[in-house]
Structures are given as structure tokens and as C-alpha cells.
Amino acid sequence: MFVKFPEGEAKRTDPTTAGGVVYDAVIVGGGIAGALIAARLGAAGKSVLILDAGPAEDLTLRGYESYLDRFYSATNKDNQSPYPVNPNAPMPRGTDARRIFPGVPDSSAYIVQSGPFATDTTYTRVLGGTTMHWEAKTPRMLPEDFQMRSLYGEGADWPLTYEDLAPYYNEAEYEIGVSADVDDQSYLGITFDDDYVFPMQGLPLSYLDQVVARDVDGMPVELDGVQRELRVRPWPQGRNGVPNPAYNGGEGYVPEGAVSTYQVEVGERCQGNNNCVPICPVQAKYHAGKTLARALQNPQVHLVGQAVAYKVHVDEHTGRVTEIEYRRYDKPDSAHFTTERARSRLFVLAANAVENPRLMLASGLRGSNGLMGRNFMDHAYLLAWARLPEPAGTFRGTNCTGGITELRGGRFRRRQAAFSVDIHNDGWGWARGAPMSDLADLVDAGGRYGESLRQGLVDRVSTQLLLAFMVEVPANPSNRVTVDPAYTDHLGNMRPILTYDIPDYTMRGVAYARQLSKRIFARLGAEDHTQYDPSFWGYAVYGGEGYEIRGGNHLAGTHMMGHDRSMSVVDKDQRSWDHENLYLVGGGSMPTVSTSNVTLTIAALSLRSVRAMLDQLAKESAPIRVTSEARAQGLPREVTL
Amino acid sequence: MTPDALEDFLSLSVDLTAFERTDLLGTGLARQYLAKVRDACGEDVVTALLEAHRAARTEAAEDGARPDPQRLDRALRHRIFSEERLGPVARNVIKLWYAGTWYGLPPEWTDSYGAQPAAETSTVTAASYQEGLLWRAIAANPPGAKAPGYGAWARPPAIEDRYLKGRSHDRTG
Ligand SMILES: Cc1cc2nc3c(=O)[nH]c(=O)nc-3n(C[C@H](O)[C@H](O)[C@H](O)COP(=O)(O)OP(=O)(O)OC[C@H]3O[C@@H](n4cnc5c(N)ncnc54)[C@H](O)[C@@H]3O)c2cc1C
Ligand code: SF4
């Protein structure tokens, strides 16, 4: 089934007219967090205005295809390559990362990096947000991840438990459309309701996973006195598979297809394009444009694009947010803009864990405890690569179908970071630019052509195995996002400045991961080709060994939730302690990143917060004045607060 | 562009890539690739490259028979791959077919033989990436195009048997 994007919707709402309306909620950011909240509030009869920094273009098939064309034509196919450069709403790019020298921040790209550790972490500022190019792995967090401080004395505790979030994980899996099997996903304390099944059946493991499993399944590993056996396990995936007829007590599940303004026949089952990052050509992969399109079908939900939030205005006496001032640029390639404002009863910042604190800090709102922007987290990725004794095939299937999860949890977390392991279906691509680097090497240095080239490619590329260890990084107040008027973008918005270091706790996990990779390769009879380059921008030395550490794109922690207002920025509903009508939603609210890719949890938290928002709107019902003019234009009711 | 030049270019490309003439024509890009090489290196270089290839084939074929593979290999190495002007261009033609990208020639080449306006790294068309022979050589689809279908990834890759020889020690049974 296709998802209808209401034609012309991206331009329908006039910003100035909208500025005269008091909405129930203004949401900054049309990524997965913002889109889910907009859809739910709209469905509950609330009026919503979404402001998004990306270009105000309808999500059409043609528009989507232009992303694809840009990708096909790009000589450098990095993960932002499908998306046009937009100086008015700039975004970080993986290729931006440079080595940082002490005392010299790198301001050459959108995020100013003051180090000491450089990161290539990215996000996307287009309608639908970063899920346009996410990989769509959707593991749940472990129950122990919510109690890291009390169980292991590291990081922070959540004000929520796994059980509190579990019903919302179910809902998030519905909204994203997750393909997985309960049997595979029940481990290390993850439990499901008795009759629960995922919306769609799990995707089959790749042949490469199966080759790895032959040797790795049953591999004994002892850590902190606890014995465990590794196994290759399929990842839950936010991409369309075979609908599970048993879903929802036998009602089944209808997957969502491509977003378009007219009916199209694409977007059904994943076809194995192996291109989930940066863009799925057929929209089999979930992206928040699907939720956004659904939200916008509700006439109560409005969207203004090309709207970059500039400042959050607050009433000095009550602390309540009064309006969001934003800059609406005329065109992506022109710096001309008009200043507009948006008013509502509730305000929701859903611009992601870097942009949310950036906006708050640029508005002078550091928080009464000074924690805004602090405790930035991401995953630290360590890659290890080897050559298998036989060609198992690379570049087939989704980017990643299977992994190893036994070391996501356990007592060892008192001493060292946990991790999950991805078996990459795209060879040494991430580490060393395969297969193009192999081609160039075989031809230019190896003198290969014709048959010997074809043989060389099979020998070199089809035998590649890459393991990616996704290592947890605990919260640390000195890892932070700040702003400085010295660094602004094209529109005059202050740019985010990132200060980030990898703690020893994580590095102990990294060092252990490297040792484990050697054992796994030995068990496979694979030839270890891992070599870490000291000139790599993310090179880090620990215990006399050097490692290449990469960013995880899993931004979190910058407006952490907690029980105690002196120690956190938001409460368990993601409501600001300082500003009672303001919600900061997304990865920024998470007190730990642990070892799950963050987005399913972001979605679950967002869905959970909708309840609190609706309760608050019900409680704070101010008198409402309906103007005939607004109704004629299908605008929301005007309210006087 | 003369039809002869296209034929010669195809014949060269078959030797360079080990893909059949029909496979190369099947990409629909042979003509554009030849034009690309001309734009990037100049007419003279292309003519010389095609000539050197013809000469290599003649040298490798005694009495008008099919060229002997070992002698052809030697002739190509001597006449083309080791040749200062033609070697880098031939290697670029290989990469063009395999990756769909024209890679900028090394600076020492442009220093000696001059830079043409179209010499920098570029894709020829959006389609050229999808038609790269590299993907066929490793029995994969170009990421983002020509999807093989749901679940196809669970089966072994369909790499041609002749490239699996000698690596089959645990593929028995
Ligand atoms: C390469 C890559 C792979 C990934 N793979 C996975 C994965 O496999 N699994 C997983 O769980 N996660 C993955 N992620 C992370 C995932 O994409 C994000 O966690 C998720 O998209 C965050 O959603 P969000 O709605 O909070 O923020 P975003 O998606 O970043 O959306 C924010 C929105 O706010 C808008 N915005 C920003 N600033 C402003 C402003 N000032 N004013 C108005 N609007 C603004 C943006 O245009 C955007 O639409 C991946 C990320 C990347 C980059
Ligand atoms: S493997 Fe392909 S079809 Fe499947 S989600 Fe990824 S890009 Fe889309």
C-alpha cells in the first residue's frame, strides 16, 4: 500500500497566518520523534504545527527519486550523498571528520569539533529527518540498561524501567513496521507479552551470516567469571518483510509502502538492494516521511518547511515558553529569510540530540542546573576485518542481517563497556572503501585485467568479512554540546560545538572487542587484515595499542531524563523541569545508550510522552475563541491563553 | 565516431574486462564510454590505444588464427600496460567498465600529455554506476539498484564456477 502525501501540503500553511494562531502544540522537527507525536496529537483532535528546517517540498516519488539519482551520480557515495547541500539548514557529513589537535577546534564543517576526540557522526535535515538514511536496525534495550548506576555503578539510572517502556516498544514496532521473530529476540532479560508477535516475520540471515554461524555458534566466552556461548542472531529490522498473519491476535499487519502524492506500486518487501544507508531505492525501509505523510492527512496538522527554529522565548516569571521564533528561508540556495513566530500551548523540540540543546543554548536557556547540552553520548564503533577461507559473498542483502549479542549485558559491565556485534554484508566497505578500493588496487598496483582481474575480485572481495563492534559510551557531563556566537551558519543560527572524549570504560570494551575479533577470526580460519592507521582522524590509543574509533550516529544524552530535577533536564515524560509547557524529545532524553541503536527507544519514548501531553492539554484548557476567518481556511481554532 | 572505432573499442574492452562483447553492448554504454575516453584523453590517444591493441592481437595470432592467450597477455603488457602514455588510459578504461566511473588520470600523465577539459573524476551517467561490471564479477547487485529480490541473500552467491576453483576445500558435499 502506498502512503499518501497530501498534495501541496508542504507549502499550504502560510507562516504568517499560522503565526496568528495559537496551536495546541508546535513541534520543531519532522523526524521520527516529531512525526509520531504530530500524528498522535492530531488523531486525538489537537491542532499541531510542525516546523521543519528542510526544504518545503512535498514528499513525492519524484522527489525521492531525485535523491536516488543524486546518489547514483555521486562519485563519492558517502551517507549524505543523496541529499542536496543546503547552507540554510546545514548538516554534518561523515567525510567532514578531521584529526583534532589540542586547543585547535575544527570549525571547517557545520559541527564545530573541539575534541579531543573527532567524530564523523551525522544527521540529516530534510523532511523525515535522519531516518531517511538510517540503517533501520531496531533492537530493544535490555532491562539492565535502565539501571546501569544501581547495578554496575556506571553511567546513570533511568526514571523508567523496561516494563514501563515495553508497551510502547510494542507500539513503536507497529509504527515502524518491524520484521523479527520473538524467539530470536528474547535474550538477556528481554521479554515480550505472551501472545506477542512482531508485525512482520524476521528477515532471513545472509549466506555470509550462515557461514560465520557454522563456526561461531557455540563458541565459549568467559568474562568476569561468567561462561557464555556466542551465536549469530538475526537483527530486528525496520524494513518490510513478510507480514505475520498472527499479528495483533490474528488481525495481521499491512506494511506501508512508498510515500507519494499518487498511487504507486513500490515500497513493498525489502528486495535486498544493499543500500539501506544512505537510501533505500524502493522505500521498503521505514522512514519518518511515512509517518509524516499520515499525520498531514489530518487537517488539524500543519507543516511549515524551510523553517529553522532560531530562538525559544520564555516568560521570565512563569518559565513557560511563549513562542518559537524561526527563520523561514525563501529558497535553499538563497540566504534571504523572514522572521516568523509560532505559538501554542505546548512546545515540543524534536530536532535531535544535537539540535535540541543547540537551540536551547542559543536561546540562552542553559537550564537551572546548567545541564543543557551535557552528557552527550553516541556509540563508539570499532571495526575488525578479515578474509574468509572461501568466498561467502559480499554486498548481498540488507547492509546487515545478523550479529552477535551475548556481550550486550552482564556483570562485566562493572568494569568495561558492553557491545553488540554486526556482521556486515558489505564487506570492508566501511573500513577500507571496498569494493572500489579493491578494484583500483588490483588494476593500478596489481596489473590485473581480464580473467585475472575477475578472479582477483572474487578472491579479494567475495571473501571479505567485517565485524562492527558497537561499544557503549556512558554519560559524562564534560562530553557536551555548546554554542558560541563566534560560530554561526548562513542564516545566523549558532552552530553546535561538540566536546567529546571516549572514556577508559569504553576503551576497555574496545580493547576486549579487538581481542574477541581475533578469536572469532581464528575459529573461522579467516585471515585477519585489521590494521589501525595512526593518521586516522579517530585514532585512539589505549593500553599501548591504537584503534580506529568511528562515530555511531546514535546521538543521545544532551537533555537527560531523571527522577531528580537537580540532576536531569527532563522528567520521565520528557517534559522540561524548568519550562512546564516544553517537551524535549528524542535521544537527548536517554540516560544511557547502552548497546541498542537508539531509534526504536526514541519512538517508544515519544509515543509514551504523547499521553502526558494530552493529559496536560486537558488540564490546561484555557478559553477558546473560534474566529470565522481561521475556520474558513481550515486553520485550527484560535485560543486566548 | 566511426563504427570501426566502436568495434575496435569493444574488441579492446573484451580483452581488458573478460566480459563478452554482448555483455558489454548490453550495458548500453559502450558508445558513451568511448566518447568519454576521447573527451578525457583526446582523439590521438584513443587512436593510438586502439592501434596498439590491434597490433598486440596480430602479434599474438600466428597465421591469422585466434590469438594465443599467453602471447596476447605478453603483447598487451609490452605494448599497452607498460607504455607511458597508453598504460594509465587502458587501466582507466578497465575501471570505467567495472565501476562506471572515469577516474582522473595521474598528475604525471597530465603533465606529459596535457589535461583535457573532461579529465577529472566523474560518473558518465547515473546508469553507468548501475551497469558496473564489478557487481557482476562478484555476483552482487550494485547497491541501490537491480535488487535481486527478498531473501535472495540467504543463498550462496552465484559466482561463476571457474572463479571458485581451488577455493572449494570445504565446499564439498
Ligand atoms: C548512517 C546512519 C545509520 C543509522 N542507523 C540506525 C539504525 O540502524 N538504527 C537506529 O536505531 N538508528 C539509526 N540511526 C540513527 C537514527 O537515524 C536517528 O536516531 C533518528 O533518525 C533520530 O530521530 P529524531 O526524530 O530524533 O531526529 P532526526 O531524524 O534528526 O530529525 C530531526 C528533524 O528536525 C529538523 N530540524 C533540525 N534542526 C531544526 C531546527 N533548528 N528547526 C526546525 N527543524 C529542525 C530536521 O530537518 C529533521 O527533520 C542511523 C543514523 C545514521 C546517520
Ligand atoms: S536491502 Fe534494499 S530494499 Fe531492502 S531495505 Fe535495504 S535498500 Fe531497501
Side-chain angles (χ1 to χ4, degrees):
Chain A
M1 232 176 37
F2 83 113
V3 189
K4 170 116 179 105
F5 191 92
E7 206 172 334
E9 192 59 37
K11 294 201 170 68
R12 181 150 24 240
T13 305
D14 173 57
T16 314
T17 319
V21 176
V22 178
Y23 287 85
D24 287 322
V26 163
I27 301 176
V28 177
I32 185 169
L36 283 173
I37 291 169
R40 291 291 175 99
L41 290 180
K46 304 300 169 194
S47 61
V48 177
L49 175 65
I50 304 169
L51 302 175
D52 197 276
E57 299 292 341
D58 283 0
L59 294 173
T60 60
L61 200 64
R62 183 164 312 147
Y64 194 87
E65 282 171 354
S66 76
Y67 287 158
L68 256 181
D69 250 11
R70 194 173 293 103
F71 165 78
Y72 289 145
S73 309
T75 47
N76 186 357
K77 293 188 172 22
D78 70 297
N79 58 26
Q80 299 281 37
S81 58
Y83 309 101
V85 173
N86 180 354
N88 292 323
M91 33 195 171
R93 207 164 170 161
T95 48
D96 292 341
R98 304 276 178 278
R99 199 164 177 78
I100 299 170
F101 296 95
V104 192
D106 173 19
S107 62
S108 59
Y110 174 58
I111 297 184
V112 179
Q113 298 207 33
S114 60
F117 183 75
T119 180
D120 62 341
T121 215
T122 64
Y123 52 86
T124 308
R125 291 165 98 188
V126 297
L127 285 184
T130 312
T131 52
M132 295 309 290
H133 79 199
W134 72 323
E135 191 203 311
K137 258 198 209 89
T138 53
R140 294 184 177 200
M141 293 184 77
L142 308 178
E144 64 179 60
D145 295 339
F146 296 84
Q147 298 170 281
M148 280 302 287
R149 170 70 37 188
S150 33
L151 287 176
Y152 304 124
E154 261 305 322
D157 280 350
W158 289 56
L160 294 170
T161 63
Y162 176 82
E163 289 69 33
D164 292 332
L165 212 54
Y168 300 97
Y169 272 142
N170 294 357
E171 281 187 45
E173 281 157 357
Y174 170 81
E175 294 285 349
I176 291 173
V178 173
S179 296
D181 296 318
V182 165
D183 281 353
D184 291 330
Q185 305 308 328
S186 308
Y187 59 90
L188 291 173
I190 300 179
T191 51
F192 296 88
D193 296 340
D194 283 348
D195 51 351
Y196 187 74
V197 299
F198 283 88
M200 290 168 281
Q201 292 165 10
L203 265 68
L205 286 175
S206 70
Y207 181 71
L208 172 64
D209 294 328
Q210 298 168 40
V211 168
V212 173
R214 277 200 316 239
D215 282 316
V216 164
D217 281 5
M219 174 172 166
V221 170
E222 199 203 297
L223 187 53
D224 202 39
V226 180
Q227 195 71 35
R228 63 202 89 209
E229 280 188 5
L230 304 189
R231 68 164 269 206
V232 173
R233 190 189 298 278
W235 286 112
Q237 312 246 17
R239 52 178 53 73
N240 291 338
V242 179
N244 195 327
Y247 187 71
N248 198 14
E251 283 201 1
Y253 179 85
V254 182
E256 290 200 302
V259 177
S260 179
T261 50
Y262 55 87
Q263 184 171 351
V264 290
E265 306 297 329
V266 289
E268 299 278 314
R269 212 164 278 173
C270 164
Q271 309 171 346
N273 270 297
N274 199 276
N275 202 56
C276 322
V277 178
I279 185 164
C280 171
V282 295
Q283 303 190 45
K285 184 188 75 174
Y286 170 84
H287 60 78
K290 297 187 182 188
T291 304
L292 201 58
R294 205 158 25 75
L296 291 169
Q297 285 166 24
N298 185 330
Q300 294 265 90
V301 178
H302 294 180
L303 165 72
V304 175
Q306 291 170 199
V308 188
Y310 176 76
K311 187 171 180 190
V312 178
H313 289 268
V314 170
D315 181 313
E316 271 177 49
H317 304 292
T318 63
R320 287 176 71 94
V321 174
T322 52
E323 65 182 43
I324 303 249
E325 176 184 345
Y326 64 98
R327 298 192 159 177
R328 183 156 204 277
Y329 54 92
D330 294 353
K331 282 188 262 162
D333 53 2
S334 130
H336 188 261
F337 66 85
T338 49
T339 293
E340 306 284 354
R341 58 210 189 107
R343 295 188 297 152
S344 56
R345 290 169 161 181
L346 299 186
F347 293 86
V348 181
L349 301 189
N352 83 34
V354 170
E355 290 295 325
N356 277 353
R358 184 205 66 73
L359 176 61
M360 292 296 283
L361 293 168
S363 308
L365 303 170
R366 296 176 49 248
S368 47
N369 52 21
L371 284 179
M372 184 65 66
R374 291 191 182 269
N375 295 306
F376 170 85
M377 287 179 274
D378 187 6
H379 283 122
Y381 270 97
L382 180 82
L383 310 182
W385 55 101
R387 197 178 294 301
L388 289 166
E390 62 176 308
T394 41
F395 297 93
R396 301 174 65 239
T398 75
N399 285 169
C400 176
T401 36
I404 301 167
T405 56
E406 279 68 29
L407 294 158
R408 287 186 60 191
R411 226 169 52 185
F412 67 87
R413 291 171 96 185
R414 289 177 304 184
R415 281 190 301 110
Q416 72 183 52
F419 52 74
S420 60
V421 190
D422 299 343
I423 300 166
H424 265 257
N425 287 330
D426 50 356
W428 301 353
W430 193 5
R432 287 298 178 263
M436 293 308 170
S437 53
D438 296 290
L439 173 68
D441 203 41
L442 284 165
V443 174
D444 293 336
R448 302 278 193 121
Y449 71 96
E451 286 295 341
S452 76
L453 174 59
R454 290 191 63 172
Q455 184 68 58
L457 285 168
V458 171
D459 294 347
R460 270 181 73 141
V461 180
S462 299
T463 52
Q464 291 178 353
L465 168 66
L466 182 135
L467 302 178
F469 294 81
M470 187 176 95
V471 189
E472 70 181 318
V473 176
N476 173 350
S478 33
N479 286 338
R480 62 193 295 207
V481 173
T482 53
V483 294
D484 181 332
Y487 299 112
T488 53
D489 69 15
H490 217 54
L491 276 194
N493 267 300
M494 286 189 226
R495 287 155 54 190
I497 302 171
L498 183 64
T499 308
Y500 184 39
D501 201 5
I502 307 267
D504 282 356
Y505 178 77
T506 300
M507 288 310 295
R508 281 194 288 277
V510 164
Y512 182 76
R514 178 65 185 119
Q515 290 310 314
L516 184 67
S517 71
K518 290 182 182 170
R519 284 190 57 206
I520 292 175
F521 294 156
R523 221 171 135 103
L524 286 161
E527 209 174 81
D528 196 340
H529 282 249
T530 314
Q531 253 191 342
Y532 301 123
D533 176 358
S535 65
F536 181 73
W537 47 262
Y539 190 75
V541 177
Y542 179 78
E545 291 284 325
Y547 304 90
E548 290 179 14
I549 309 283
R550 288 166 166 81
N553 305 310
H554 298 151
L555 313 169
T558 50
H559 45 79
M560 229 161 85
M561 63 164 62
H563 275 302
D564 178 348
R565 62 180 303 150
S566 67
M567 310 278 284
S568 55
V569 177
V570 297
D571 67 11
K572 62 184 175 189
D573 295 327
Q574 305 190 80
R575 181 158 80 147
S576 157
W577 290 115
D578 288 345
H579 313 285
E580 63 178 18
N581 64 339
L582 176 69
Y583 290 77
L584 292 110
V585 303
S589 302
M590 295 168 63
T592 59
V593 277
S594 300
T595 56
S596 55
N597 314 56
V598 290
T599 311
L600 183 79
T601 303
I602 292 176
L605 288 173
S606 302
L607 293 165
R608 189 176 175 282
S609 291
V610 169
R611 278 240 311 256
M613 293 174 193
L614 288 173
D615 285 350
Q616 189 175 354
L617 282 170
K619 274 200 224 102
E620 296 185 5
S621 52
I624 291 170
R625 184 163 55 85
V626 181
T627 65
S628 54
E629 188 198 8
R631 180 178 276 167
Q633 294 175 21
L635 286 168
R637 295 156 301 175
E638 180 154 339
V639 272
T640 32
L641 288 177
Chain B
M1 182 186 309
T2 62
D4 279 0
L6 183 64
E7 275 311 313
D8 286 352
F9 180 67
L10 278 168
S11 160
L12 167 77
S13 299
V14 168
D15 284 341
L16 293 185
T17 64
F19 277 87
E20 307 273 333
R21 186 175 176 280
T22 44
D23 290 326
L24 301 182
L25 282 172
T27 64
L29 291 164
R31 203 172 280 278
Q32 286 178 60
Y33 284 171
L34 173 55
K36 178 76 209 175
V37 187
R38 280 202 167 113
D39 291 348
C41 310
E43 180 69 44
D44 292 354
V45 172
V46 173
T47 309
L49 177 64
L50 297 179
E51 238 158 52
H53 176 246
R54 258 197 317 270
R57 283 192 75 90
T58 315
E59 182 187 317
E62 253 173 316
D63 322 319
R66 281 176 68 88
D68 166 69
Q70 267 169 14
R71 291 174 59 170
L72 179 60
D73 173 53
R74 189 161 184 273
L76 290 173
R77 282 188 277 117
H78 289 200
R79 286 175 185 270
I80 296 180
F81 293 122
S82 59
E83 212 274 332
E84 252 182 333
R85 186 167 64 139
L86 301 183
V89 177
R91 283 186 277 279
N92 257 20
V93 172
I94 301 174
K95 288 181 280 180
L96 181 58
W97 278 110
Y98 271 81
T101 301
W102 175 263
Y103 291 92
L105 285 158
E108 44 301 354
W109 194 95
T110 29
D111 284 351
S112 308
Y113 307 109
Q116 303 284 329
E120 307 92 66
T121 299
S122 66
T123 49
V124 177
T125 68
S128 59
Y129 159 74
Q130 303 175 29
E131 294 300 333
L133 301 176
L134 165 65
W135 310 110
R136 292 183 50 185
I138 60 170
N141 61 299
K146 300 194 180 186
Y150 181 81
W153 55 82
R155 296 191 294 272
I159 296 170
E160 283 177 43
D161 264 352
R162 65 179 192 277
Y163 302 112
L164 294 173
K165 265 185 285 165
R167 309 202 127 255
S168 53
H169 58 277
D170 53 0
R171 282 186 141 244
T172 47

